[in-house]
Amino acid sequence: MEGYRIGHGYDVHALADGLPLVLGGVRINHAKGCVAHSDGDVLVHALCDALLGASALGDIGLHFPDTSDEYKGADSMILLAKVVDLLDAKDYGIVNVDCTLVMQKPKLRPYIDDMRASIAAVLKIPTDRVSVKATTEERLGFTGREEGVSAHAVVLIKGK
Ligand code: MG
């Protein structure tokens, strides 16, 4: 289908002590990690939903059900690669993506460029088309209490 299409994705995971924390395909050094059926990469889940939203191909739960053993502990970057394949099959190219992580701790700035590079490699686009931002909610709500992490993603795709 010709023309530009926009998509939005949002995801939340609870945090618990002693679990690995993986965000944007990058292992983060932190005492807490995401509770999840997969590796809990909340940023990549939001991005998958944004891409599926832009292409009107459903959502992450439709393609990778959390009731399936196949996706237990799954590397979310593999799920993202499968979403890219779904868009490729529909002749959609990815123009740019913009993601926001909402998390009180730790400081994510040292990891941002690695996240951008790992996402860009899977999306098969240059790193300067991949934005990852991090913010806090000023100690308010579930992110502020460090009970969870949320992520937003917006993407633009173009029919070839
Ligand atoms: Mg998720």
Side-chain angles (χ1 to χ4, degrees):
M1 189 181 293
E2 278 185 43
Y4 290 99
R5 300 171 65 118
I6 194 167
H8 167 259
Y10 175 68
D11 195 30
V12 170
H13 281 272
L15 288 168
D17 289 333
L19 294 176
L21 180 62
V22 179
L23 296 172
V26 176
R27 178 69 189 266
I28 310 293
N29 187 17
H30 193 46
K32 293 181 174 188
C34 287
V35 179
H37 184 71
S38 67
D39 66 3
D41 193 330
V42 65
L43 174 57
V44 170
H45 295 175
L47 184 52
C48 286
D49 259 357
L51 292 165
L52 292 168
S55 53
L57 288 172
D59 62 31
I60 193 168
L62 174 72
H63 292 280
F64 314 112
D66 64 8
T67 49
S68 165
D69 279 349
E70 189 182 347
Y71 302 114
K72 197 163 170 24
D75 177 349
S76 295
M77 295 306 258
I78 291 172
L79 309 186
L80 182 61
K82 290 185 181 202
V83 169
V84 171
D85 288 345
L86 289 170
L87 268 67
D88 276 346
K90 292 279 187 183
D91 277 341
Y92 288 122
I94 299 163
V95 178
N96 73 304
V97 309
D98 183 19
C99 310
T100 303
L101 275 162
V102 184
M103 195 169 195
Q104 188 65 43
K105 276 187 193 166
K107 287 276 181 232
L108 295 171
R109 165 93 328 253
Y111 302 100
I112 294 282
D113 285 342
D114 285 348
M115 292 182 200
R116 293 175 63 213
S118 71
I119 291 167
V122 175
L123 299 184
K124 297 177 274 185
I125 60 175
T127 306
D128 66 4
R129 296 188 191 199
V130 177
S131 163
V132 177
K133 311 186 301 299
T135 191
T136 74
E137 288 179 313
E138 301 287 342
R139 301 202 169 274
L140 296 167
F142 67 85
T143 70
R145 292 188 297 269
E146 299 177 53
E147 294 168 359
V149 52
S150 65
H152 303 258
V154 176
V155 307
L156 190 68
I157 65 173
K158 188 175 190 301
K160 287 172 189 165

